[in-house]
Amino acid sequence: MNTSQELRNMLRQIDRKGYPAYKQLRGTYRFPEYVLDIEHVQGDPFAAPSKVSIHVDGGTAAFPEELYRLPCQKTALEDTLLREMGKQLRTVSFQAKGSGKSGLMSVSSPGQEVLERSGCQLEADTGNLILRMEIGFPANGRTINARELEKILFDFLPKCAGKSLYYKALDAGKLQKTAQLAEDQHAVRNELKQRGLVAFVANGAILPRESGVSSRPMKGAVPFQSPPSMEVELTLPNKGKIVGMGIKKGVTLIVGGGYHGKSTLLKALELGVYNHIAGDGREFVITDDTAMKLRAEDGRSVRDVDISMFIRNLPNGKETDVFCTEDASGSTSQAANVVEAMETGSDVFLIDEDTSATNFMIRDELMQRVVHREEEPITPYIERIRELYEEYGISTVLVAGSSGSYFYKADCIVQMNRYVPADITEFAKEQARLCAGTDAGADALDSPAFGKPAFQRTFSQNRKLAGSDRIKMKTMGMDGISIDRETINLRYLEQLADPEQLSMLAQIVKYAELRIFDGKKTLVQVVDHLEKKMREKGFAGICGDRGVYSGLAMPRRQEIFACLNRYRQL
């Protein structure tokens, strides 16, 4: 390991040389309170910024163990430190001048969700801290401006780190509240399992967001208030008693007029699989962490999926127990999405009528009389929804605005009226009884029986990539990822909360291509292997010890499955 003075001397030696001379700086350097690791140096001032990391010894960082005793508390602490470092860096970024990205200083920029990120990691057993970031090494044209980089590394960076990465420099009370909130959120998740709930929405929660492009809470929004019949009281380790709406296992229907908050509630439940920061308004909107949002997805690739529980006896004779298509319709894509979600082990399906294929969701009685069952290959979801729960323990929370047919199937019916929920189960069931025999949902015909789909699919390597360690990867915002120019479309995976999760999915696909796919392991075995590697070594289990940079966030098991299922080249 080099000293910081040696780094200063090297900077002065390469000043005004051609930009590639910066690569001599790669290595580790001991500063008074931390070690600086220059891991990757950009090849050009206009290229992606250089990757550096700051390593702080646990004794120097000195965060009390009670702040990161639980894994969720550790993630919350890392998230807080990352946000604080980002706040400090924004005051100095681009103060060092030059061409291209000269002077840029940045870390990950978390949203409202608390995610495990590569940008800041704390070792639970030692308290050692790693913060990863990007710095644009300054240049004039393509000539090194070492004096400006010296300003960054010896002035700006130590000051920002000093205000962000040490317990003594931070608000101890705020850190304590962060740890307590994470512990309480964890307690609610445990309570869901013990009480037979799939979700909990606290009274006073703010569900509407600021705008379609902002996930911050809307000012002046109507606070959530549970219907009295659905109220659940929980006792949390720190907050004490908390009251809110408990959604029980089974079939729950959310109804109401347009713009009254149905989809807003469902969206909050979708993202309730993650913890949220204090002040978000959804801190205690907690959903079973296996919950999967399902929708139609026209045009997606489907490979060897058993969709026969929903679609069979196609006129062209095509098999549906190992169904394949490169261009799925709305109904076949949603059928595949349901079956693939079962494969992930999801216990809860979240569905919005607005984003579903109508013919997949419902066939009214008149249509059944005109087009006989033997002439219709689709068994709609309404005819499977009870079986999914009663036979396989899979609950459904469904938003419906135009069809009352699901009233017959639901255990609980919630009406949203100006963002205020009401339990109308008894009233809706009574109306359904009055309409029985004349309305769409009265089970006029028996549904064909089905067995649980077989999940024995195996995948081999993409032959173009086999044996190659140089796989080009690119993330396209929230739309998808590119693996050697093959695009994996992920825009309809609505529970992906951050582009950094897509970056990690790209790394996961690369790792699986090179090390796991062998034509023998099933997809479940592949994902189990991936999760084991990440549990044991975190991001390094997939990226390698020297391959972990800032800009990665952990996806859930469900999104790993979904990404691999949409990879056309497998």
Side-chain angles (χ1 to χ4, degrees), residues 112-127:
Q112 301 297 100
E113 290 75 28
V114 179
L115 304 175
E116 183 181 354
R117 298 177 186 272
S118 62
C120 185
Q121 293 185 275
L122 186 143
E123 295 178 2
D125 54 345
T126 64

Side-chain angles (χ1 to χ4, degrees), residues 214-229:
S214 171
S215 59
R216 291 191 293 268
M218 179 186 289
K219 294 178 182 177
V222 176
F224 187 87
Q225 182 63 45
S226 172
S229 60

Side-chain angles (χ1 to χ4, degrees), residues 278-330:
D280 172 78
R282 300 168 297 180
E283 297 94 319
F284 291 105
V285 179
I286 307 291
T287 308
D288 182 309
D289 52 18
T290 70
M292 192 76 175
K293 172 68 187 300
L294 303 174
R295 57 168 296 158
E297 198 173 340
D298 292 39
R300 68 153 287 197
S301 167
V302 177
R303 195 67 58 88
D304 296 338
V305 180
D306 181 359
I307 61 172
S308 59
M309 62 186 287
F310 295 109
I311 301 175
R312 59 174 70 186
N313 301 325
L314 293 175
N316 60 10
K318 190 171 185 179
E319 293 183 353
T320 59
D321 54 349
V322 282
F323 185 77
C324 297
T325 180
E326 292 299 317
D327 186 21
S329 67

